[in-house]
């Protein structure tokens, strides 16, 4: 019980004796389970869960969380089962312990996938009980405090994970006390030399700064007393990691960053916060644009405070944070303040914010195809530099920095995002790719039946928007692949698939390890398996299949008709830009579908006759859509030539995508047009129109 004494001193200060007794029983189970186990440092293993439990006890977490922290490794590392814990301590404690346990029984394709899957499990456990993540943060903090015994490469890997995942989670949950410790330890182990240099530099100037901080603190405190406002002024020292981040992000040199003196003023009410801000501004001149009101509009993690950066008469920059005592406790403890202050039926603003975020993880989980995509989306939301915009009814919506109206639409509701077609920014129509800034009012225009555009992925930034768009694109691509696979298989069969029994088709799919016939069609459409092989599997017994017969029938198969409506599974090569009724051939990329080339394209001219990745295709008689084509037009120099050429092209119902101009000699320029048109006849008509223009010397399509 020697290791339990320090923890007991802390829990005795705020828990009931019966609860402390339960914690002692949990300690005894953990000590017995870990008996004989040692840490890399050589210490008995039990010292780790006790240290993690003490970190949580100092945040005044409830007794069940402390018990789970003491036993958080027993399921993973010992013979104790979840059922054993449930019988001894109840279901809640057992669920907490199980939620913290790492995945160890599953084989992953890569270390990254294993880490991502472990992280996904942690996030999903948070949805059930947010205390899981508090235990995990305490576990990580103690591991960071004892990294010294590990190899340098392992220290750097763990430190990077801490800086990229765990410190941002602590920040997102508003627990600055844990966040700053995780950041400092992560930085010290990730970049030990940079840490030493910065720490040494900070230590050197600490004495000089101390006098300045004392003088400014006295000045501010005196003004509060004269104004009869309750308040305590505290001079703060910036953390080494925050200094490093500012320097790394080129906010300033070390001297410029250290020239800012930080103070916190703690008062008794919101009203006093604003009155103090006025008094501070009457002493020192505020810098425009650097005043932030996080009381009226709290941060995503529930953080509330008034921030202002000022310039003193001595040309010293002063950063002041003004908040109530409750706001200060919330800032330090975040979601953990739920247990510090709450009665049984109350919730803190920070807890509400945290739970909103945790619930949003469910949507990301449902939309993401794999763990790596899920963690990518969550990381986006872990690093928000917030933008605050308004709905037409005045509701404030918080978005990550760089957000667009599409992000806004998905923040309102998934269905609004999926069906949005346009937007108004401050009552004026604007592109959906517009970058939003604080204070804008956004109105989204929707249309029933409209769908997300894959191009939105190039400018959306919020995890929710990107996850939903990706999910839609994947489903759309799969539907298109199934449709193309259906057509390819019917082409190879030379008959209608409806003439075959569905049971027979399903059996054929299962015989070659596909879950369903639809999955098999998607694989055909994506070029993963040849349609002719499946056609013969369907029409004859496997034992009767003759490779030579298959090859002969495949060579005699009718070319696939390209309609222009195949979607993302059929692409048109940029090297030769085929248009309807050009002689064409298709190259099959496994898993990506078909790429259509002109038969005269240098990239396929010789290869397609020998390579079985090329398949015969032809244009359908009813092709839909517009297709890109490159035109080179030689013109004699003259006033208004470009305007006249573009006018002629536009009058032929042809869309101009891009124009480049090259000078051939002093008298002749070459105009390179990328246009969108319907087919070869459409192209021939515009070439005919251009050739009769007096100042046009030559018109030709690029090869």
């Amino acid at each position: 019980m020697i290791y339990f004494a320090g923890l007991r001193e802390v829990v005795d200060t705020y828990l009931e004796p019966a609860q402390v007794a339960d914690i002692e029983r949990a300690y005894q189970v953990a000590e017995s389970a870990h008996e004989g186990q040692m840490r890399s440092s050589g210490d008995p293993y039990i010292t780790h869960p006790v240290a993690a439990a003490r970190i949580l006890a100092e945040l005044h977490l409830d007794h069940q969380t402390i018990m789970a922290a003491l036993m958080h490794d027993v399921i993973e590392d010992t013979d104790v089962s979840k059922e054993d814990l449930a019988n001894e301590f109840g279901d809640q404690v057992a669920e907490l312990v199980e939620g913290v346990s790492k995945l160890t029984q599953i084989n992953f394709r890569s270390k990254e996938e294993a880490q991502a899957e472990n992280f996904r499990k942690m996030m999903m456990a948070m949805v059930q009980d947010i205390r899981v993540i508090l235990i995990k943060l305490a576990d990580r903090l103690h591991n960071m405090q004892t990294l010294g015994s590990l190899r340098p490469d392992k220290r750097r890997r763990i430190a990077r994970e801490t800086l990229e995942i765990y410190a941002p989670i602590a920040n997102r949950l508003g627990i600055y006390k844990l966040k700053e410790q995780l950041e400092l330890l992560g930085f010290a182990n990730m970049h030990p030399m940079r840490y030493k240099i910065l720490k040494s530099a900070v230590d050197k100037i600490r004495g000089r700064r101390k006098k300045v901080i004392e003088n400014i603190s006295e000045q501010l405190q005196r003004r509060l007393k004269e104004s009869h406002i309750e308040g305590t002024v505290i001079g703060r020292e910036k953390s080494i990691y925050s200094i490093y981040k500012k320097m790394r992000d080129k906010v300033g040199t070390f001297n410029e960053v250290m020239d800012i003196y930080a103070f916190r003023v703690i008062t008794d009410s919101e009203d006093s916060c604003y009155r103090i801000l006025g008094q501070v501004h009457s002493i020192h001149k505020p810098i425009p644009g650097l005043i932030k009101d996080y009381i009226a509009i709290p941060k995503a993690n529930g953080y509330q405070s008034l921030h202002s950066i000022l310039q003193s008469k001595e040309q010293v920059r002063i950063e002041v944070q003004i908040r109530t005592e409750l706001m200060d406790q919330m800032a330090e403890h975040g979601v953990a303040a739920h247990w510090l202050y709450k009665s049984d039926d109350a919730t803190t603003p920070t807890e509400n914010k945290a739970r909103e975020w945790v619930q949003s993880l469910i949507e990301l989980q449902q939309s993401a195809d794999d763990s790596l995509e899920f963690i990518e989306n969550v990381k986006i939301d872990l690093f928000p530099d917030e933008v605050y915009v308004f709905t037409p009814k005045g509701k404030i919506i918080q978005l990550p920095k760089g957000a667009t109206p599409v992000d806004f639409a998905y923040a309102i509701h998934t269905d609004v995002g999926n069906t949005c077609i346009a937007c108004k920014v401050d009552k004026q129509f604007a592109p959906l790719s517009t970058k939003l800034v604080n204070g804008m009012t956004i109105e989204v225009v929707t249309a029933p039946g409209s769908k997300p555009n894959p191009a939105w992925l190039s400018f959306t930034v919020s995890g929710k928007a990107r996850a939903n768009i990706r999910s839609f694109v994947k489903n759309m691509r799969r539907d298109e692949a199934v449709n193309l696979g259906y057509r390819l298989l019917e082409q190879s069969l030379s008959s209608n698939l409806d003439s075959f029994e569905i049971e027979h088709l399903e059996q054929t799919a299962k015989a070659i390890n596909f879950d369903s016939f639809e999955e098999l069609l998607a694989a055909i459409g994506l070029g993963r398996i040849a349609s002719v092989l499946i056609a013969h599997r369907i029409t004859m017994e496997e034992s009767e299949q003759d490779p030579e017969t298959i090859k002969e029938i495949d060579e005699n198969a009718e070319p696939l008709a390209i309609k222009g409506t195949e979607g993302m599974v059929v692409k048109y090569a940029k090297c030769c830009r085929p248009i309807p009724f050009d002689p064409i051939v298709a190259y099959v990329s496994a898993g990506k579908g078909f790429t259509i080339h002109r038969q005269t394209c240098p990239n396929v001219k010789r290869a397609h006759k020998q390579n079985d990745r090329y398949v015969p295709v032809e244009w359908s008689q009813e092709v839909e859509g517009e297709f890109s084509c490159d035109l080179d037009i030689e013109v004699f120099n003259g006033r208004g030539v470009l305007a006249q050429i573009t006018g002629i092209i536009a009058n032929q119902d042809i869309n101009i995508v891009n124009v480049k101009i090259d000078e051939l000699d002093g008298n002749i320029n070459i105009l390179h047009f990328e246009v969108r048109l319907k087919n070869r006849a459409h192209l021939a008509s515009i070439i005919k129109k251009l050739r009769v223009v007096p100042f046009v010397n030559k018109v030709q399509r690029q090869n």
Side-chain angles (χ1 to χ4, degrees), residues 209 254-261 315-318:
R209 287 172 57 84
F254 175 75
N255 288 332
E256 288 171 332
V257 172
M258 294 307 292
D259 275 348
I260 300 178
Y261 293 82
Q315 299 305 303
V316 172
R317 285 187 121 192
I318 302 167

Side-chain angles (χ1 to χ4, degrees), residues 35 156 166 230 345 425 534 547 559 568 578 582 658 688:
E35 188 175 1
R156 283 193 296 273
Y166 290 94
E230 287 291 327
D345 57 355
V425 176
I534 305 305
M568 291 182 290
D582 282 334
N658 194 18
K688 185 177 179 181

Side-chain angles (χ1 to χ4, degrees), residues 120-401:
R120 191 215 285 249
K121 185 188 179 191
M122 187 168 62
M123 293 292 100
M124 290 304 101
M126 283 171 63
V127 175
Q128 303 302 321
D129 195 330
I130 208 162
R131 291 176 293 178
V132 168
I133 196 62
L134 300 180
I135 298 169
K136 192 67 182 173
L137 289 173
D139 168 61
R140 175 52 61 113
L141 178 55
H142 184 250
N143 281 333
M144 292 301 297
Q145 291 168 343
T146 55
L147 274 187
S149 58
L150 301 181
R151 297 192 317 266
D153 60 317
K154 196 169 184 181
R155 285 206 301 270
R156 283 193 296 273
R157 178 181 62 77
I158 294 171
R160 177 182 287 108
E161 189 178 63
T162 299
L163 290 173
E164 290 183 354
I165 299 296
Y166 290 94
I169 288 175
N171 179 56
R172 196 64 175 71
L173 298 178
I175 315 172
Y176 285 97
K177 191 172 182 179
L178 292 185
K179 172 221 169 196
E180 289 193 350
Q181 293 179 71
L182 289 168
E183 284 181 340
L184 186 66
L185 292 165
F187 176 47
N189 286 279
M190 184 74 187
H191 302 295
M193 289 306 298
R194 298 179 197 181
Y195 171 78
K196 280 184 182 177
I197 292 167
L198 269 180
K199 186 175 186 305
S200 174
V202 169
D203 289 343
K204 279 181 185 176
I205 67 168
R206 183 171 280 139
R208 185 173 76 243
R209 287 172 57 84
K210 187 176 180 183
K211 188 64 178 172
V212 177
I213 290 172
E214 285 176 357
N215 290 340
I216 296 174
S217 294
E218 288 173 8
Q219 189 182 32
L220 293 174
Q221 195 74 60
R222 190 164 53 249
R223 175 55 67 94
L224 294 183
K225 189 174 182 180
E226 291 169 358
S227 306
H228 306 290
I229 304 174
E230 287 291 327
T232 304
V233 181
I234 305 165
R236 297 188 307 115
E237 191 172 87
K238 285 186 175 295
S239 76
I240 291 176
Y241 184 65
S242 83
I243 295 168
Y244 169 71
K245 277 201 302 182
K246 285 183 183 293
M247 293 171 63
R248 182 194 63 190
D249 298 339
K250 297 184 174 59
V251 174
T253 63
F254 175 75
N255 288 332
E256 288 171 332
V257 172
M258 294 307 292
D259 275 348
I260 300 178
Y261 293 82
F263 299 87
R264 183 173 297 158
V265 184
I266 312 297
T267 186
D268 57 353
S269 67
E270 281 189 21
D271 179 64
S272 294
C273 289
Y274 291 100
R275 290 170 62 205
I276 290 170
L277 182 66
Q279 293 299 325
V280 169
H281 285 181
S282 71
I283 304 172
H284 303 293
K285 184 179 179 181
I287 297 174
L290 296 181
I291 303 168
K292 295 180 180 177
D293 186 347
Y294 293 120
I295 293 179
I297 305 176
K299 285 190 175 185
N301 56 20
Y303 172 90
Q304 289 184 289
S305 189
L306 295 176
H307 288 199
S308 184
I309 296 182
L310 314 104
Q311 191 86 28
S312 75
K313 294 173 184 175
E314 296 81 15
Q315 299 305 303
V316 172
R317 285 187 121 192
I318 302 167
E319 180 185 359
V320 180
Q321 298 176 355
I322 307 166
R323 59 179 75 149
T324 66
E325 188 173 340
L326 181 59
M327 290 174 193
D328 190 54
Q329 292 292 343
M330 294 295 179
E332 291 298 309
H333 296 89
V335 72
H338 171 96
W339 291 274
L340 203 57
Y341 294 105
K342 122 180 186 62
S343 61
D344 289 341
D345 57 355
T347 57
T348 67
T350 308
E351 186 194 6
N352 288 333
K353 292 280 187 179
R355 291 197 181 280
E356 284 174 17
W357 176 60
V358 168
Q359 288 298 324
S360 74
L361 296 174
I362 297 175
E363 289 189 40
L364 293 183
Q365 156 86 356
Q366 292 168 344
S367 301
D369 264 10
D370 55 45
S371 301
L372 291 172
E373 183 180 316
F374 174 72
I375 196 172
E376 178 192 335
N377 289 331
V378 173
K379 272 188 178 182
I380 291 170
D381 284 344
L382 284 178
F383 295 94
D385 209 346
E386 297 93 351
V387 172
Y388 298 93
V389 294
F390 295 90
T391 68
K393 293 184 178 179
K395 181 182 177 182
I396 297 170
I397 301 294
Q398 182 179 345
L399 297 167
K401 186 177 180 180

